[in-house]
Amino acid sequence: MLTKENTGLIIVDVQGKLARIVQDSEKMIGNLEKLIRGCQLLSMPIIHLEQNPNGLGNTVPELEKLLVNQKAIEKYSFNAFENQEFKESILKTNRKQWLVCGIEAHICVYQTVIGLFTNNFEVEVVADCISSRSKDSIDLALQKMQQKGISLTNVEMCLYELVKDSRNENFREILNLIK
């Protein structure tokens, strides 16, 4: 089970024009907004990544405005775990569980998830917060990750798992995000 004391969020490469042309782009970005707000309410660490921002552009404005106090980690390797700044940021949090979301599911999300998993982190992919240009690539990425032992979740499921109890001080705010 996820716990807010041991879990963080990683947002992978939701940038520029690519973020607008992936499958169900608007829905994915809307779900990401809910997830980010929920994690912020629960005071969880959030790490966001940008793949080659000079080439792909920056994080989309809808998410960037929520992450205004955080600098994106610039990367060039598809597996973020190969980036020293990312690795140090992850280790500095002392969190062992990571929710992962972003694009593209079959490239940077997949490789980053496998990088985390093979380095003994517990990883859950937020399935309604990932995308790729084709549905087949999303399906293949999810299938391959599950075959390797990666768990899947969705926005509502993980936020309620983190809140745990309807008497939690953040429950009402989380409920309003989900509605």
Side-chain angles (χ1 to χ4, degrees), residues 69-151:
N69 296 325
Q70 295 178 263
K71 179 185 160 293
I73 296 173
E74 187 175 311
K75 68 181 184 64
Y76 294 88
S77 58
F78 303 124
N79 174 1
F81 209 81
E82 293 178 3
N83 177 291
Q84 193 60 36
E85 184 181 356
F86 174 76
K87 198 182 302 188
E88 288 169 7
S89 296
I90 292 288
L91 295 173
K92 197 183 310 177
T93 68
N94 291 315
R95 308 288 171 121
K96 289 302 286 178
Q97 299 174 320
W98 289 95
L99 296 169
V100 180
C101 55
I103 60 176
E104 284 196 79
H106 66 294
I107 304 171
C108 293
V109 172
Y110 171 77
Q111 289 187 36
T112 298
V113 163
I114 298 305
L116 288 161
F117 187 72
T118 57
N119 282 278
N120 301 313
F121 290 94
E122 295 174 41
V123 184
E124 292 199 22
V125 174
V126 188
D128 55 354
C129 290
I130 63 166
S131 194
S132 290
R133 287 162 290 149
S134 80
K135 178 148 175 28
D136 289 343
S137 293
I138 299 166
D139 294 343
L140 179 61
L142 290 171
Q143 178 185 18
K144 196 168 178 183
M145 285 187 272
Q146 284 184 291
Q147 287 171 348
K148 293 187 178 289
I150 308 299
S151 297

Side-chain angles (χ1 to χ4, degrees), residues 18-64:
L18 182 59
R20 306 295 179 193
I21 63 169
V22 295
Q23 294 290 304
D24 293 322
S25 171
E26 286 182 35
K27 184 178 179 184
M28 178 201 63
I29 291 170
N31 286 337
L32 280 164
E33 288 178 274
K34 292 175 187 175
L35 181 59
I36 291 167
R37 285 188 169 119
C39 289
Q40 288 170 334
L41 282 170
L42 298 171
S43 301
M44 294 167 47
I46 299 172
I47 296 172
H48 77 287
L49 304 166
E50 290 182 345
Q51 175 73 25
N52 184 17
N54 291 330
L56 292 176
N58 294 98
T59 300
V60 295
E62 299 93 320
L63 304 185
E64 201 164 48

